[in-house]
Amino acid sequence: MKFIVFSASLLVAACSFAQQNCKEQLHGVVRDHHTLQPVPFARLLIPELDLQQTADSTGYFSFPGLCPGTVVLRCIPHFGCEPVDVIATIPTSGQFDLLVETHVTDLDELVVSAVRFRKETQTVSRIHALDLSAVSGNTLGEQLARVPGMTTFNTGSSIVKPVINGMHSNRIVVVNNGIRQEGQQWGSEHAPEIDPNLATELVVVQGAAGLQYGPDAIGGVILVHPSALSYGKSLSGWVKSEAHSNGRGGMLSGLVNGSLLPSGKWAYRVHGTARINGTQHTPDYLVKNTAMQEYSFSGATGYKSTRFEADAFYSLYATKLGIFTGSHIGNLTDLNEAFQAKEPKDKGVFTYEIENPRQFVQHQVGRLFLRWNWNERVKTTLLAGYQHNLRQEFDNHASYNDSIEALGLPDFELNLWTTNAELKTSIVHSKRFRSTAGLSGLKQENAYDGRFFIPNFRKFQGGAYYTGLVETLLWQLEGGLRYDVSMLTAYYYKGNTLVSPERTFGHLSAAAGASRIIGHHWLVKLNFGTAWRPPSVNELYSNGLHHGAAAIERGNEQLSKEIVYNLQLGTQY
């Protein structure tokens, strides 16, 4: 018996010694049986030798130190790969390709939820996509009314302006897809020319927030973020609609996006919306000439690689609004009678037609975005935009010129062209400290036609800023400075003489803030900021009938810049 055991031991040792001296190699690539594409990280086994190996990200594998003969190469079953045994002859003539059956495995949904504080030092509110879907048929102003501290005021069926802590119009900056929205926003009846159906998130920054966005943001900033381009994703989209009884109107909106090429580096997005509404009614009567029509379209395409990213965006927004006929009153007697009457003098009938007085507004935006990642810590961004805002107002009364009356031309037309650019570099200095430095410039020109109210003007504006942020596990400290210069030249006649007064304004904006997490549920923040705005052209030089507001307005050329100091103390639990 001892002899048999000893002999078996010698035989095993001899085989082991022989195996150790074998120098052949089995190497190759694991490929899908149908597509011949590499299968990354496949698990392989030679059972008789008890040798295991995992292929690399390209599907390559290698078993060194094998003896001549035949071996069984097995793909161990795992997610994405079916089990298979293949006989391989050693030595091989070259690379050995192992063909396997692969499949897609859908895992059960796993939801991980947690509470995470955003340690912004300013008061920031967000409306996400899920909340926006509940109010998809509303205007931008109506959707923003869901934010605490915000209200709206309406001057028409769809003219809704956002108000932050009592401030609106030129005291609030609206940033649409990274571009500062520039239109005729000085009027109380000039709502933002933005289709909110494209947005997947609305962000409201309350208080002085001029460091990143320039002058005018003394009341706050509204950021409208559209959906990101779908790099590396297949074709997808959505369609949503909304209907309402008052005005017998509704809205239809749709979006399509995806990747252009199999590489996933090119992407596109196309979106469109149409809204229509008939005559509005109160519980007792119809409100004459309150129908509206609104259309918008946008398209975007982009390229994204490891270090470089670029995208182009274009949008067109147009709306036709009827203005309640009874709001245009010619004398005080009629005004007093309107106040005393239980119903308007002119009874409305239901219709989708829009009569005078009415407004037509069109806004076009072109945007180019470029980003270069120098490394993991430093990136530079260039953002350039072009906007054209057209506003036409048609009076209820006969036109001042018979030829204009015959042609159906507007009594008052404004064209506003805006070109702006921003160059900024962001640096992550360490895990705790990061900073951003930037330069921005703006050129704006305005031309009117018809009745005088706002003069032609040219405006140049430029600024430079620097911000820094320090963040630890519990603290966030933030501060920065910005300086802007705004130069405005107006062109109008005084009598028979053309005059062109020039006004130059400049000022410093600053901000400093801190926030602290206490325990797991409590956040305390303190922020101080100062911002400013130059007087707008209507405040300086308006002179005549403001048709939409049905009021005579006159500007004051002696107005100076407006400065705000803002202190915020807030807590969140």
Side-chain angles (χ1 to χ4, degrees):
M1 183 66 179
K2 293 181 179 180
F3 175 76
I4 294 175
V5 173
F6 179 73
S7 300
S9 300
L10 288 178
L11 181 61
V12 172
C15 291
S16 300
F17 180 78
Q19 180 68 39
Q20 291 175 0
N21 284 276
C22 294
K23 299 181 180 180
E24 300 297 336
Q25 182 184 25
L26 176 63
H27 68 97
V29 177
V30 183
R31 298 183 182 275
D32 180 87
H33 181 75
H34 301 285
T35 65
L36 299 182
Q37 293 297 315
V39 179
F41 309 115
R43 295 165 55 196
L44 305 177
L45 170 68
I46 300 179
E48 60 265 37
L49 301 178
D50 196 24
L51 297 177
Q52 293 192 38
Q53 191 178 106
T54 301
D56 63 14
S57 60
T58 64
Y60 178 80
F61 67 90
S62 175
F63 287 96
L66 301 181
C67 297
T70 59
V71 296
V72 175
L73 182 60
R74 175 178 299 167
C75 179
I76 302 174
H78 63 286
F79 288 116
C81 180
E82 296 289 349
V84 64
D85 284 354
V86 178
I87 297 177
T89 301
I90 308 299
T92 59
S93 58
Q95 178 176 292
F96 183 85
D97 285 347
L98 176 61
L99 303 181
V100 299
E101 293 282 350
T102 62
H103 60 86
V104 176
T105 301
D106 292 328
L107 302 179
D108 292 335
E109 181 181 358
L110 179 64
V111 178
V112 179
S113 60
V115 176
R116 178 181 179 270
F117 275 116
R118 293 179 179 267
K119 295 194 289 287
E120 293 109 335
T121 61
Q122 288 185 306
T123 301
V124 179
S125 302
R126 290 174 170 82
I127 307 178
H128 299 287
L130 185 61
D131 296 320
L132 290 174
S133 64
V135 288
S136 59
N138 294 345
T139 64
L140 178 67
E142 290 168 332
Q143 293 186 1
L144 290 168
R146 300 167 65 91
V147 174
M150 287 202 66
T151 56
T152 63
F153 68 82
N154 301 31
T155 55
S157 58
S158 64
I159 305 175
V160 183
K161 299 206 72 167
V163 181
I164 303 178
N165 298 325
M167 287 180 277
H168 57 84
S169 302
N170 280 343
R171 291 172 176 84
I172 293 177
V173 170
V174 179
V175 180
N176 181 18
N177 197 13
I179 295 294
R180 174 173 160 151
Q181 187 85 359
E182 292 289 343
Q184 311 289 349
Q185 63 259 38
W186 37 265
S188 61
E189 83 294 354
H190 301 176
E193 300 94 351
I194 296 175
D195 177 14
N197 290 291
L198 183 60
T200 55
E201 184 184 45
L202 300 178
V203 181
V204 178
V205 183
Q206 299 188 28
L211 292 187
Q212 297 184 50
Y213 311 105
D216 301 325
I218 64 176
V221 176
I222 298 171
L223 307 176
V224 182
H225 296 311
S227 58
L229 291 174
S230 300
Y231 294 104
K233 297 182 180 179
S234 59
L235 174 68
S236 64
W238 51 257
V239 175
K240 55 188 176 183
S241 62
E242 177 260 354
H244 49 266
S245 59
N246 193 350
R248 305 177 199 175
M251 177 274 298
L252 181 65
S253 183
L255 180 144
V256 176
N257 60 5
S259 290
L260 289 171
L261 299 175
S263 65
K265 293 184 177 181
W266 287 91
Y268 67 93
R269 181 184 66 235
V270 179
H271 172 259
T273 297
R275 295 179 65 205
I276 188 170
N277 205 64
T279 306
Q280 301 279 297
H281 65 80
T282 72
D284 301 319
Y285 57 87
L286 290 165
V287 184
K288 186 177 181 180
N289 199 40
T290 52
M292 62 82 61
Q293 300 169 9
E294 179 182 303
Y295 308 96
S296 67
F297 165 83
S298 71
T301 183
Y303 171 84
K304 185 177 183 180
S305 64
T306 304
R307 303 189 68 176
F308 178 68
E309 180 178 354
D311 68 68
F313 170 82
Y314 171 81
S315 71
L316 170 65
Y317 173 96
T319 182
K320 186 177 180 181
L321 303 166
I323 298 176
F324 170 48
T325 308
S327 66
H328 284 231
I329 297 174
N331 54 68
L332 291 178
T333 302
D334 292 342
L335 179 62
N336 288 326
E337 290 180 358
F339 283 147
Q340 299 300 323
K342 293 182 179 181
E343 295 184 4
K345 181 183 299 184
D346 295 330
K347 297 292 184 65
V349 295
F350 183 81
T351 179
Y352 291 101
E353 296 295 325
I354 300 175
E355 303 174 351
N356 291 346
R358 59 186 171 91
Q359 297 178 1
F360 174 77
V361 181
Q362 183 185 86
H363 192 87
Q364 299 183 72
V365 178
R367 169 188 181 270
L368 177 64
F369 173 86
L370 303 173
R371 173 181 289 165
W372 178 260
N373 299 318
W374 301 95
N375 51 50
E376 294 181 354
R377 295 176 176 268
V378 183
K379 59 184 178 182
T380 298
T381 300
L382 174 64
L383 183 66
Y386 174 81
Q387 300 176 69
H388 174 224
N389 184 273
L390 168 65
R391 183 176 190 85
Q392 296 177 335
E393 299 186 352
F394 299 81
D395 205 332
N396 189 33
H397 305 288
S399 177
Y400 71 92
N401 185 293
D402 292 338
S403 61
I404 294 179
E405 181 73 19
L407 294 173
L409 298 177
D411 294 82
F412 174 50
E413 178 179 295
L414 285 173
N415 283 274
L416 182 68
W417 298 273
T418 305
T419 305
N420 67 291
E422 180 185 24
L423 179 67
K424 68 177 181 180
T425 297
S426 300
I427 304 175
V428 179
H429 300 275
S430 66
K431 292 183 178 180
R432 295 186 175 184
F433 176 54
R434 60 182 183 268
S435 66
T436 301
L439 299 170
S440 65
L442 177 145
K443 177 187 176 184
Q444 195 169 74
E445 294 179 318
N446 180 80
Y448 82 92
D449 191 17
R451 184 184 61 248
F452 179 86
F453 178 63
I454 296 290
N456 297 341
F457 69 85
R458 182 177 287 117
K459 179 180 179 180
F460 295 95
Q461 189 168 284
Y465 66 92
Y466 177 85
T467 63
L469 185 144
V470 177
E471 187 171 13
T472 65
L473 184 62
L474 299 177
W475 282 92
Q476 185 181 91
L477 305 174
E478 185 176 13
L481 294 171
R482 178 183 182 115
Y483 190 84
D484 288 277
V485 175
S486 178
M487 296 175 286
L488 175 70
T489 304
Y491 303 90
Y492 59 94
Y493 281 92
K494 279 189 174 181
N496 295 322
T497 304
L498 177 65
V499 296
S500 54
E502 297 181 3
R503 297 293 303 273
T504 300
F505 306 92
H507 199 70
L508 184 72
S509 303
S515 64
R516 172 70 155 84
I517 293 179
I518 301 175
H520 296 288
H521 306 282
W522 192 10
L523 176 69
V524 178
K525 59 178 68 176
L526 176 67
N527 177 271
F528 170 79
T530 176
W532 71 287
R533 59 176 289 267
S536 56
V537 66
N538 68 300
E539 294 171 323
L540 291 169
Y541 304 114
S542 63
N543 187 8
L545 173 63
H546 185 176
H547 174 265
I552 300 295
E553 297 183 7
R554 303 193 189 281
N556 182 356
E557 297 185 26
Q558 304 305 314
L559 288 178
S560 185
K561 57 195 174 189
E562 180 178 352
I563 304 172
V564 64
Y565 300 95
N566 183 262
L567 179 66
Q568 295 179 342
L569 175 63
T571 184
Q572 178 183 350
Y573 181 82

